Amino acid sequence: MDSKRDVVIVGGSTAGFICALTIKRYNKDVRVTVVRRERKALITCGIPYIFGTLLDVNKDLLPDKLLVEGGIDLLIDEVKSIDRSEKAVILSSGRRISYDKLVLTTGSIPVKPPIPGMDLENVFFARKDAEYLQQLLTTLERAKDVVVIGGGFVGVEFAEQFRRRGLNVTIVEMLPHCLQLNFDEEYCVMAEEKLRSLGVHVITNERVEEIIGSGGKVEEVKLASGGRLKADVVLVAVGVRPDATLAKEAQLKIGEMGGVWVNEYMQTSDEDIFAAGDCAEKFSFFTGKPVNLRLASIAAREAKIVAANLSGINVKNPGTIGCFATMIDDLGLGVAGLTEKAARDAGFNVLTGIATTTDKHPGTMPGAKTLKVKLIFDRSTKTIIGGEVAGGPTTAELANIISTMIEKSMTVEEVTFFQYGTHPALTASPRTHPIAYAAEDALSKL
Amino acid sequence: MDSKRDVVIVGGSTAGFICALTIKRYNKDVRVTVVRRERKALITCGIPYIFGTLLDVNKDLLPDKLLVEGGIDLLIDEVKSIDRSEKAVILSSGRRISYDKLVLTTGSIPVKPPIPGMDLENVFFARKDAEYLQQLLTTLERAKDVVVIGGGFVGVEFAEQFRRRGLNVTIVEMLPHCLQLNFDEEYCVMAEEKLRSLGVHVITNERVEEIIGSGGKVEEVKLASGGRLKADVVLVAVGVRPDATLAKEAQLKIGEMGGVWVNEYMQTSDEDIFAAGDCAEKFSFFTGKPVNLRLASIAAREAKIVAANLSGINVKNPGTIGCFATMIDDLGLGVAGLTEKAARDAGFNVLTGIATTTDKHPGTMPGAKTLKVKLIFDRSTKTIIGGEVAGGPTTAELANIISTMIEKSMTVEEVTFFQYGTHPALTASPRTHPIAYAAEDALSKL
């Protein structure tokens, strides 16, 4: 049975969900079908928060009723292959659906490191699968000792949430610091200090050699240095890799980072097939080179760019800046663009500026928290290329200001004198708005 | 006695204080003298918060020790006149100080409306004078009924703070709504609803005819419609006018709005005299015409521009956008640039976009608050010219993102697809970041 559809979207996590809804926003008449494997789809960024704050997988679901109300067809099924010559997808159920335009939002798969014991019971991954996560939630009820392998932002968020319910939590990170791929050292140290103050054990510069079980269930984690950690549950969070299987089988071009190659319109090597989100290759805003950044916010934006391009609004992706934030208890950490280290590694002649202030003014206002902002400029062009924030509730939006400035290639003078508003309960003082003030520090060093 | 100084700053409130410190940041060798009338200077934006949250004038003082530690000479004295031909100022004490460059930061004076009874005891103004404000604080201890004349943001902030300590507070506003000069009607209504929910009486479309006293002290406020309000204390907050007395006497050019005229380098009609802050004329970023905006954040930025220009860093002021925020209990309200009404009044062909979302995601995260963002675009150039925000702790920084976008003349497409980060505890979802999402609404209407 052949049913003619205008747009078929493969995958229904962040990118697929948003792409479908956004197409309908621009044009109600386009027929949109989402083919999704999972009966229930999750709000990706919320996953760690299921395990301490929300305590219910159902509180973190994408609201499918928006799809239904939007007139989008949601098929719970799996696309087995793409017939590019006939412009159709073939589903597990045997059904065949034609498309005018196809969008691949097949997401990513957690990396499974080559460590013995990975298949033991109670070894979990941050998989975007509601039933699987429910199983982790249930298992945690009987757990006492938990080991998190990987101190990236997913590992750190899980660890903080596990600790919130009183578990004995240890993070094991290979690199010298947690969050080291995302932040400069001084911010990583702040994160580690906060984790330790909460009672999370943080072990860095350390590899897991083996996960040891008994009766098929995990019992211990053996470290390369010889130590052993008791573990009722292990969470493995060492990164994700793009799920480009379907694209590969359809002989679409694959990028260096293993994602589906796309041009600046998010179009694959087949002009009728687009890709967005974790499955799509990303290119750096700064260098144009492939980068390994996979975030829901990037997926969302790419999905919106695809939706626009499919709706006659031509939009180019200028490359991925990478902007995100996390929260460890009351400590917010945000970043946009390049860290100082990444900028130096990429060969930039770096100029930095730092501001430390409070997020209310006067500092005597109740609830005032310390804000620390570091900005990174390219000394040769004087433009902003990165920024890091440590603070409270405003952390992420401060990172978003920095990201906006990066996208518009603002100079150190433009950042220093940008026009901002202030309020005692909401911001630093007019003198020390941390972004302007950090830029002023950089400007004074020129 | 003639002591040679490099830079003399007249006035030590926001602009004077910041200008002095910023000059020293760029060049420690410049000799800077601040001549200030007040023994103690206040953090201007914090003034309303003395009366409910801080309950102590001393918790809202500018930290003079920063001036001292910065090697700045602070003279508590008054400049009586400027001798432009000799490049010197003459102080009340009789002292005469020479300058290479003079900076006027003489601030503003609360407007005293022509209403009988203004001089009665316990009728107060939002004067930047620590001893005067201490007197208001003491008077409030014995007060029960308070009337605030003027529902602009200063009046609203005072009213909310007075109410916080259990006083019976009424705001009387001439216009149909509180905050009407700063926000579009729907935001004004939110503010009024919040004030009323706190127990503040809000009377709009109403004039005060007379302030009636007994024994020299205020007792009642008589309204034009005939009603009478009991009042132990009246706070008058109907705006400020620039204090340009000294500049006028020195025959400097005065602008249409009554401020000291300045060029884009913040230089007055005398090339050795600069002006910044409330005393200086402001010009619109949008039209280049004089505007009547006086905010500490604007004063701060102007002071920083003066400091840069005096330090060999040439910086032009592109005109005032006007960005600010306020907080009524847990409701944040922020604005940048033109409201929809102001844009229409100025002749723009207006395109708007609206987003309503929550400031955490999923919405089941504890403490999630509603965010409402409205963006205003010029339909002919498709650039962003304004935005309004209602929300929680992130309100002001969201307004600051909008202000940055206005300053860089970002198009509706650029705003829709700007690169932001998200986090469950800190922002709306990747799909509904309110700025991108409101722009998408506008884009879908094009």
Side-chain angles (χ1 to χ4, degrees), chain A residues 14 17-18 21-22 25-26 43 45-47 49 53-54 59-61 66 157 285 296-298 300-301 304-305 308 313-315 317-327 332-333 354 361-366 371 392-401 403-405 407-410 413-414 416-444, chain B residues 14 17-18 21-22 25-26 43 45-47 49 53-54 59-61 66 157 285 296-298 300-301 304-305 308 313-315 317-327 332-333 354 361-366 371 392-401 403-405 407-410 413-414 416-444:
Chain A
T14 308
F17 188 84
I18 294 175
L21 289 169
T22 312
R25 183 152 176 165
Y26 292 125
I43 298 175
C45 351
I47 291 174
Y49 299 94
T53 301
L54 301 175
K59 284 190 177 163
D60 191 48
L61 298 181
L66 290 183
E157 289 178 356
F285 175 85
S297 57
I298 297 174
R301 182 168 157 279
K304 291 176 177 199
I305 292 175
I313 302 164
N314 279 343
V315 179
N317 184 353
T320 300
I321 288 172
C323 177
F324 64 95
T326 189
M327 191 90 186
L333 291 167
I354 290 169
H361 68 279
T364 51
M365 286 287 282
L371 271 177
T394 57
T395 299
E397 300 304 354
L398 283 167
N400 288 339
I401 296 175
S403 185
T404 309
M405 291 172 160
E407 195 147 20
K408 295 305 292 178
S409 301
M410 283 172 70
E413 286 92 348
E414 286 180 317
T416 303
F417 302 104
F418 97 99
Q419 303 200 34
Y420 52 81
T422 57
H423 182 270
L426 297 166
T427 70
S429 81
R431 175 170 175 246
T432 61
H433 186 284
I435 295 176
Y437 208 51
E440 189 177 292
D441 180 42
L443 184 57
S444 73
Chain B
T14 309
F17 187 84
I18 294 176
L21 288 170
T22 312
R25 183 153 175 164
Y26 292 124
I43 298 174
C45 350
I47 291 173
Y49 299 93
T53 300
L54 301 176
K59 285 189 178 165
D60 191 48
L61 298 182
L66 290 184
E157 289 178 356
F285 174 84
S297 56
I298 298 174
R301 184 169 155 281
K304 290 177 177 200
I305 293 175
I313 303 164
N314 279 343
V315 179
N317 184 354
T320 300
I321 288 172
C323 178
F324 64 96
T326 188
M327 192 91 186
L333 291 166
I354 290 168
H361 69 278
T364 50
M365 287 287 282
L371 270 178
T394 57
T395 300
E397 299 303 355
L398 284 167
N400 288 340
I401 296 175
S403 185
T404 308
M405 291 173 160
E407 195 147 18
K408 295 305 294 178
S409 301
M410 282 172 71
E413 286 93 348
E414 286 180 317
T416 303
F417 303 104
F418 95 99
Q419 303 199 35
Y420 51 81
T422 57
H423 183 271
L426 297 166
T427 69
S429 82
R431 177 171 174 244
T432 61
H433 186 284
I435 295 176
Y437 208 52
E440 189 177 292
D441 181 42
L443 185 57
S444 73

Side-chain angles (χ1 to χ4, degrees), chain A residues 103-124:
Chain A
V103 185
L104 299 178
T105 62
T106 48
S108 55
I109 300 162
V111 169
K112 192 170 165 180
I115 299 171
M118 273 291 148
D119 294 318
L120 286 168
E121 200 175 325
N122 295 351
V123 175
F124 286 88

Side-chain angles (χ1 to χ4, degrees), chain A residues 13-16 44 104-110 128 239-244 257-260 266 275-282 291-300 302-303:
Chain A
S13 183
T14 308
T44 326
L104 299 178
T105 62
T106 48
S108 55
I109 300 162
K128 299 167 196 167
V240 297
R241 59 179 177 78
D243 184 354
M257 295 289 169
V260 184
M266 306 305 299
D278 277 7
C279 74
E281 192 82 344
K282 320 274 169 253
V291 279
N292 208 358
L293 274 167
R294 303 192 191 275
L295 298 165
S297 57
I298 297 174
E302 290 180 349

Side-chain angles (χ1 to χ4, degrees), chain B residues 52-65:
Chain B
T53 300
L54 301 176
L55 297 172
D56 184 349
V57 175
N58 292 313
K59 285 189 178 165
D60 191 48
L61 298 182
L62 283 175
D64 282 347
K65 69 168 185 166

Side-chain angles (χ1 to χ4, degrees), chain A residues 341-353:
Chain A
K341 182 177 181 308
R344 291 195 192 283
D345 289 351
F348 285 97
N349 184 359
V350 169
L351 169 71
T352 63

